[in-house]
Amino acid sequence: MTNTFTSNEIKKISDSLKKSAKKNDYTKTIEEIKNILRAKSKWADGYALLGDIYRSITDYEESYLAYSQAVSLNPKNIEWKIYQLFCKLEIGRDIDSALNELLTLFIHNAENEAICVKIATVMAAAKSPKILIAAIKWRSQNYKNGDILSSILGQQLLESGLISEGCEVYFQIFRSSPEAILYAPSLAQALIRIGAFQACADVIESIQAHSPDTALSMLNEYGISLLGLNRSSEAQTAFRKYLSLRPEVRAVQYNLSHALLKDGQYEEGWKLAEFAPPEFKQEGARNPWKGDFSINGKTLLLYGEQGLGDMLQFMRYIPYLKDQGAEIILSVPKNLQRISQSSFNNIHVIGNDFSNTNYDFSCSLLSLPLYLAPQLGYEIPSSVPYLYPEQADIDKFAAMLKEKTKLRVGLVWSGENRPRHGLNYRNRSSSLNMFSKIINIENIDFINLQLGKPQEELADWRGKEIFDPMVNVSDMEDTAALIFNLDLIISVDTSVAHLAGALGKPVWMITRSDCCWRWLENREDSPWYPTMKIFRSQPGSLHHAIELVAASLHDYMATELLT
């Protein structure tokens, strides 16, 4: 049997695969290709096609294997090699090796800009901007970079924090031709990702004078930048103007909800918050309850969404559902199950998988402010505590702590790293060394509450002693029990700050200047947690807020010593 095809065979195969692809019948298409490959094992294009399909459904492991086979049969096909390395990066396999191979391909194909653009696009997704910046700049010494490659360079410079240089690259693109203004949204989005909100607003306002139609299409980015500058009222105007032109865009409706909620306009804000993007929503719940009928005597499934802090924040609404006579099943991640059960002992708590659970109706925890509004209005129920760890757990951690002779202060200096949220998301976190001004204050016993990779910073800490009991902490119940034994919690904007607030413990929260909607604007207090004090930083890192905390803690200790 041969491993080549006649032109008639190729046409027949192509027609068959196109029919399956049009129906989005990927399983059938994949099986058809595999059957052909069993007979024609040297069909390089077939393996590449298989790789394309697996890549389109984000099965990068299978896609990598398919492209690898195609490349082994035809090593000269650069596009297949690029996609193979893309899949390698996506599955996290030999990332340095993959980047080096891509860089080599870029250098060897420098004269072909189309190939360089494909390579640069893949490398940009790998979040290694310095390598890509160097590569594109090197190419410009011998060849003229086109607008697409230049825009990738601009994005990478911005991602590296080189804002002025990155903006200048974009401005050069704009000056190169009238059509290049089409790259303005790309610039605005890149500035937003790194938290350069003032620069973004300035760019869009400048574009308004020269290209009002382009600026009109960028009203969403303008609104986001204004929101980041704590100009929520102006942001609402921008979002509403965009929606007057394109009312169907859910993402902008959701952005408007954040501007409203940050401005304390809860009635409209909660309604638009229901337009959260799919990645924030829990799938699979049936028979949604929206507060529009009685649930007395019915079983209501409540399920968590988004982050742990969000779930802890909105658990305050659970008792009001019990008042309506409903049996409650609460579905939350394992980390929250014990603290949920100890706090609300008259409900049934389960894990994230509720597919085999019997219930009458369902509702997201995050939708409760909207759907309980007929009963509660739009005022935030702020009574604390509403979470209660078991006494046995409180006693367990009390025994671990040394005899209390000083103020006990718990510390959390870093949140979870979420690269897809952009460089600016990192600015919500600090480091243990940055906390040194706080830790150096005398007459305080500091207790670590940090988990995850940032906890490893304790191994290199050479400052004042920090007691670390977190090896004994398995979930939020344990963390709550430990916090119960402390006098004050100092935390960046993480779930621990929410937990301390829900326990009614004094908590000083350190947050970015463009902080989350829930913390409102220009306030040191929180309507959600009466025992919380908010320390807002200036744009950039958290240094400013940390210095404010250190000064306040010093004054606090002076007051304590006088009493």
Side-chain angles (χ1 to χ4, degrees), residues 165-195:
E165 189 178 355
C167 286
E168 181 54 34
V169 169
Y170 273 102
F171 294 148
Q172 288 175 7
I173 297 172
F174 299 158
R175 289 192 290 266
S176 67
S177 70
E179 293 77 20
I181 197 69
L182 295 173
Y183 290 96
S186 177
L187 168 60
Q189 290 155 16
L191 289 169
I192 287 168
R193 281 183 60 80
I194 65 171

Side-chain angles (χ1 to χ4, degrees), residues 121-351:
T121 302
V122 171
M123 292 181 73
K127 305 296 182 188
S128 296
K130 290 182 180 178
I131 298 173
L132 186 50
I133 289 168
I136 298 175
K137 284 185 174 182
W138 169 83
R139 184 185 185 275
S140 69
Q141 295 172 11
N142 301 289
Y143 306 95
K144 185 180 184 328
N145 287 333
D147 290 347
I148 298 176
L149 205 52
S150 294
S151 72
I152 294 173
L153 173 61
Q155 285 181 335
Q156 295 302 294
L157 288 165
L158 292 172
E159 290 280 351
S160 298
L162 301 170
I163 297 174
S164 296
E165 189 178 355
C167 286
E168 181 54 34
V169 169
Y170 273 102
F171 294 148
Q172 288 175 7
I173 297 172
F174 299 158
R175 289 192 290 266
S176 67
S177 70
E179 293 77 20
I181 197 69
L182 295 173
Y183 290 96
S186 177
L187 168 60
Q189 290 155 16
L191 289 169
I192 287 168
R193 281 183 60 80
I194 65 171
F197 300 112
Q198 187 62 61
C200 182
D202 291 344
V203 165
I204 296 173
E205 287 166 6
S206 175
I207 289 170
Q208 283 174 342
H210 301 96
S211 181
D213 288 344
T214 302
L216 205 60
S217 71
M218 298 171 66
L219 282 167
N220 181 45
E221 288 81 6
Y222 190 45
I224 293 171
S225 65
L226 293 171
L227 189 57
L229 293 168
N230 296 308
R231 293 158 61 182
S232 297
S233 180
E234 294 170 77
Q236 292 165 42
T237 301
F239 292 136
R240 290 190 195 281
K241 191 170 182 180
Y242 184 101
L243 290 168
S244 71
L245 302 171
R246 298 185 61 191
E248 77 285 355
V249 182
R250 292 174 63 95
V252 182
Q253 292 173 316
Y254 187 61
N255 291 340
L256 175 56
S257 79
H258 281 195
L260 289 162
L261 293 172
K262 199 170 185 179
D263 199 28
Q265 298 186 48
Y266 295 114
E267 183 171 359
E268 186 182 4
W270 292 132
K271 291 174 183 175
L272 291 173
E274 293 297 297
F275 291 102
E279 62 263 31
F280 291 168
K281 305 294 284 184
Q282 176 73 272
E283 298 293 329
R286 52 182 169 78
N287 300 339
W289 177 73
K290 297 185 177 182
D292 48 351
F293 54 82
S294 172
I295 49 174
N296 184 39
K298 302 296 183 181
T299 299
L300 179 69
L301 171 71
L302 277 181
Y303 53 87
E305 291 182 325
Q306 301 190 34
L308 297 180
D310 299 280
M311 298 180 215
L312 291 167
Q313 178 184 359
F314 288 88
M315 282 182 185
R316 71 185 65 228
Y317 290 95
I318 291 174
Y320 299 98
L321 288 169
K322 288 299 296 181
D323 292 346
Q324 295 201 14
E327 290 298 316
I328 304 297
I329 299 174
L330 178 63
S331 171
V332 288
K334 184 178 180 180
N335 200 6
L336 295 180
Q337 288 177 34
R338 285 204 303 144
I339 186 62
S340 301
Q341 196 65 78
S342 63
S343 301
F344 309 104
N345 53 25
N346 54 357
I347 69 173
H348 181 48
V349 179
I350 62 173

Side-chain angles (χ1 to χ4, degrees), residues 2 14 33 37 79 112 219 255 289 325 359 438 446 471 497 526:
T2 66
S14 178
I33 296 172
L37 287 169
E79 189 166 316
N112 189 328
L219 282 167
N255 291 340
W289 177 73
Y359 58 90
I438 297 171
F446 288 100
V471 67
S526 167

Side-chain angles (χ1 to χ4, degrees), residues 392-404:
D393 292 319
I394 295 172
D395 294 342
K396 177 181 73 174
F397 283 97
M400 293 180 196
L401 298 169
K402 61 185 179 183
E403 183 180 355
K404 189 175 188 312

Side-chain angles (χ1 to χ4, degrees), residues 16-192:
S16 173
L17 295 177
K18 283 178 181 177
K19 284 180 182 178
S20 298
K22 278 184 180 179
K23 298 176 183 176
N24 289 329
D25 191 349
Y26 297 113
T27 304
K28 182 180 178 182
T29 309
I30 289 169
E31 196 53 45
E32 285 181 10
I33 296 172
K34 285 184 174 180
N35 284 335
I36 298 168
L37 287 169
R38 290 185 188 103
K40 309 277 188 178
S41 61
K42 302 295 184 183
W43 184 32
D45 290 274
Y47 286 109
L49 182 57
L50 198 58
D52 291 343
I53 294 171
Y54 278 126
R55 181 167 55 89
S56 71
I57 58 176
T58 65
D59 188 340
Y60 296 117
E61 187 73 50
E62 289 294 334
S63 184
Y64 173 74
L65 295 173
Y67 283 128
S68 296
Q69 196 70 26
V71 170
S72 70
L73 293 168
N74 184 359
K76 292 183 179 180
N77 192 305
I78 297 171
E79 189 166 316
W80 296 349
K81 183 65 178 177
I82 293 170
Y83 286 138
Q84 178 204 27
L85 294 171
F86 166 76
C87 294
K88 199 173 184 180
L89 290 171
E90 286 296 314
I91 57 181
R93 180 174 298 161
D94 298 328
I95 291 175
D96 290 341
S97 170
L99 285 171
N100 283 333
E101 287 189 73
L102 285 164
L103 184 58
T104 301
L105 282 175
F106 188 97
I107 293 169
H108 288 168
N109 294 276
E111 77 286 352
N112 189 328
E113 182 162 16
I115 290 295
C116 287
V117 166
K118 287 184 178 181
I119 296 169
T121 302
V122 171
M123 292 181 73
K127 305 296 182 188
S128 296
K130 290 182 180 178
I131 298 173
L132 186 50
I133 289 168
I136 298 175
K137 284 185 174 182
W138 169 83
R139 184 185 185 275
S140 69
Q141 295 172 11
N142 301 289
Y143 306 95
K144 185 180 184 328
N145 287 333
D147 290 347
I148 298 176
L149 205 52
S150 294
S151 72
I152 294 173
L153 173 61
Q155 285 181 335
Q156 295 302 294
L157 288 165
L158 292 172
E159 290 280 351
S160 298
L162 301 170
I163 297 174
S164 296
E165 189 178 355
C167 286
E168 181 54 34
V169 169
Y170 273 102
F171 294 148
Q172 288 175 7
I173 297 172
F174 299 158
R175 289 192 290 266
S176 67
S177 70
E179 293 77 20
I181 197 69
L182 295 173
Y183 290 96
S186 177
L187 168 60
Q189 290 155 16
L191 289 169
I192 287 168

Side-chain angles (χ1 to χ4, degrees), residues 303-491:
Y303 53 87
E305 291 182 325
Q306 301 190 34
L308 297 180
D310 299 280
M311 298 180 215
L312 291 167
Q313 178 184 359
F314 288 88
M315 282 182 185
R316 71 185 65 228
Y317 290 95
I318 291 174
Y320 299 98
L321 288 169
K322 288 299 296 181
D323 292 346
Q324 295 201 14
E327 290 298 316
I328 304 297
I329 299 174
L330 178 63
S331 171
V332 288
K334 184 178 180 180
N335 200 6
L336 295 180
Q337 288 177 34
R338 285 204 303 144
I339 186 62
S340 301
Q341 196 65 78
S342 63
S343 301
F344 309 104
N345 53 25
N346 54 357
I347 69 173
H348 181 48
V349 179
I350 62 173
N352 278 332
D353 183 6
F354 50 76
S355 56
N356 296 318
T357 302
N358 293 319
Y359 58 90
D360 298 306
F361 304 103
S362 66
C363 184
S364 165
L365 270 173
L366 273 66
S367 295
L368 291 179
L370 175 62
Y371 299 149
L372 287 174
Q375 174 189 349
L376 301 178
Y378 291 97
E379 290 296 315
I380 296 168
S382 58
S383 178
V384 293
Y386 58 85
L387 295 183
Y388 307 89
E390 295 286 354
Q391 187 61 48
D393 292 319
I394 295 172
D395 294 342
K396 177 181 73 174
F397 283 97
M400 293 180 196
L401 298 169
K402 61 185 179 183
E403 183 180 355
K404 189 175 188 312
T405 57
K406 302 175 183 177
L407 194 75
R408 290 173 175 170
V409 177
L411 299 176
V412 180
W413 57 87
S414 182
E416 182 184 354
N417 184 24
R418 297 173 182 170
R420 72 184 183 87
H421 289 291
L423 182 67
N424 186 50
Y425 194 80
R426 299 181 214 166
N427 291 337
R428 78 180 185 129
S429 294
S430 177
S431 67
L432 182 57
N433 283 331
M434 283 174 64
F435 263 41
S436 60
K437 281 194 173 182
I438 297 171
I439 299 167
N440 287 337
I441 296 174
E442 297 297 324
N443 297 312
I444 298 175
D445 285 329
F446 288 100
I447 291 88
N448 175 49
L449 298 175
Q450 180 74 56
L451 278 173
K453 189 169 180 59
Q455 186 185 7
E456 297 173 9
E457 295 174 37
L458 285 166
D460 298 321
W461 175 250
R462 296 294 178 265
K464 185 177 170 184
E465 180 189 0
I466 301 170
F467 179 61
D468 184 15
M470 297 307 282
V471 67
N472 301 293
V473 169
S474 61
D475 60 10
M476 281 293 190
E477 165 72 17
D478 285 337
T479 305
L482 175 56
I483 287 173
F484 203 87
N485 286 282
L486 307 182
D487 300 303
L488 173 66
I489 311 304
I490 298 174
S491 173

